[in-house]
Amino acid sequence: GESVGLHLPTLSVQEGDNSIINCAYSNSASDYFIWYKQESGKGPQFIIDIRSNMDKRQGQRVTVLLNKTVKHLSLQIAATQPGDSAVYFCAENIIQGAQKLVFGQGTRLTINP
Amino acid sequence: EAGVTQFPSHSVIEKGQTVTLRCDPISGHDNLYWYRRVMGKEIKFLLHFVKESKQDESGMPNNRFLAERTGGTYSTLKVQPAELEDSGVYFCASSPGLVFETQYFGPGTRLLVL
């Protein structure tokens, strides 16, 4: 069945370093992927998305990489800041299918001063 | 522009009681979604409204859960009677049009059933 999973439940990095959060998905029909950030007491906040016709997309300090061959998604955060500490979720969808997101379990990113 | 709002932020009830959660989507958004995250698990889809119609309710766990969106604006999710396993965080999200677009989430309602 459909599933989106994350390789690591927790990740700690030093402030200023780069971080990489990984995600694996199993539905080869998925063609839209999103990264969300969830801070304590808040709902998931959209960070960046990518469609399956791309393999890389950049935002402000964030880059998403998509490898459809191995069904792998990653989120790179450059020059991490204390405000980046949060739980990060990847989610997948099929654009022409049901409009429900399938989420992974989440990775807790901690930025150490 | 106001974001998605949810009420209450927290609810503590006893097993067997009824709880009603409310979601106000972003103004003008036709699509409204309910998700929930139970302890230690991933966020899971419950159902999707397009305006006042249920488009997909495949994620609703059982008939103790009833969602409505009368008038196509705000939505309510009622749990009756509540069970211990219903504890978790219930999120609402909305998106603008008929073609899939980014879903914007509310802060969630934290439900604890004792």
Side-chain angles (χ1 to χ4, degrees), chain B residues 13-52:
Chain B
I13 61 172
E14 292 186 349
K15 176 182 172 181
Q17 289 186 321
T18 297
V19 63
T20 300
L21 313 181
R22 173 172 169 142
C23 168
D24 286 80
I26 293 172
S27 179
H29 281 195
D30 287 340
N31 294 289
L32 187 149
Y33 311 82
W34 284 98
Y35 293 84
R36 76 172 178 179
R37 186 182 186 199
V38 296
M39 184 66 72
K41 301 271 180 98
E42 65 272 22
I43 299 170
K44 285 200 169 179
F45 169 83
L46 296 178
L47 87 160
H48 169 211
F49 284 99
V50 177
K51 297 184 180 179
E52 68 276 6

Side-chain angles (χ1 to χ4, degrees), chain A residues 33-53:
Chain A
F33 305 89
I34 314 102
W35 281 100
Y36 282 92
K37 171 186 180 183
Q38 186 180 10
E39 297 174 279
S40 181
K42 299 182 180 179
Q45 175 188 1
F46 172 85
I47 302 174
I48 191 168
D49 58 3
I50 188 168
R51 305 220 164 171
S52 59
N53 59 355

Side-chain angles (χ1 to χ4, degrees), chain A residues 2-103:
Chain A
E2 298 175 345
S3 69
V4 179
L6 293 166
H7 293 309
L8 294 173
T10 61
L11 177 65
S12 293
V13 299
Q14 290 298 122
E15 182 178 351
D17 287 352
N18 299 333
S19 67
I20 299 177
I21 301 172
N22 296 303
C23 179
Y25 64 95
S26 61
N27 188 352
S28 57
S30 292
D31 53 9
Y32 181 62
F33 305 89
I34 314 102
W35 281 100
Y36 282 92
K37 171 186 180 183
Q38 186 180 10
E39 297 174 279
S40 181
K42 299 182 180 179
Q45 175 188 1
F46 172 85
I47 302 174
I48 191 168
D49 58 3
I50 188 168
R51 305 220 164 171
S52 59
N53 59 355
M54 303 172 67
D55 54 20
K56 180 179 180 178
R57 192 169 186 213
Q58 288 185 295
Q60 187 176 17
R61 286 201 303 118
V62 295
T63 300
V64 56
L65 299 178
L66 175 63
N67 185 330
K68 295 181 289 293
T69 302
V70 295
K71 289 185 281 187
H72 183 268
L73 190 69
S74 69
L75 176 70
Q76 301 178 358
I77 305 174
T80 53
Q81 302 169 357
D84 295 330
S85 292
V87 177
Y88 289 81
F89 294 95
C90 62
E92 64 176 316
N93 195 281
I94 301 171
I95 292 177
Q96 296 303 323
Q99 292 186 23
K100 60 183 179 183
L101 295 173
V102 176
F103 282 86

Side-chain angles (χ1 to χ4, degrees), chain B:
Chain B
E1 177 183 280
V4 177
T5 58
Q6 293 185 243
F7 182 83
S9 59
H10 296 77
S11 181
V12 181
I13 61 172
E14 292 186 349
K15 176 182 172 181
Q17 289 186 321
T18 297
V19 63
T20 300
L21 313 181
R22 173 172 169 142
C23 168
D24 286 80
I26 293 172
S27 179
H29 281 195
D30 287 340
N31 294 289
L32 187 149
Y33 311 82
W34 284 98
Y35 293 84
R36 76 172 178 179
R37 186 182 186 199
V38 296
M39 184 66 72
K41 301 271 180 98
E42 65 272 22
I43 299 170
K44 285 200 169 179
F45 169 83
L46 296 178
L47 87 160
H48 169 211
F49 284 99
V50 177
K51 297 184 180 179
E52 68 276 6
S53 300
K54 292 177 184 174
Q55 185 76 10
D56 178 358
E57 51 184 332
S58 61
M60 294 289 263
N62 50 61
N63 59 10
R64 295 185 293 104
F65 289 75
L66 175 64
E68 295 180 320
R69 193 184 181 194
T70 307
T73 54
Y74 72 91
S75 174
T76 58
L77 178 64
K78 182 164 70 173
V79 185
Q80 178 182 31
E83 299 289 343
L84 300 180
E85 64 265 26
D86 301 333
S87 296
V89 184
Y90 289 76
F91 293 106
C92 176
S94 71
S95 67
L98 296 178
V99 177
F100 182 81
E101 294 164 304
T102 301
Q103 297 181 20
Y104 297 91
F105 282 76
T109 293
R110 282 141 188 83
L111 175 64
L112 178 59
V113 183
L114 301 175

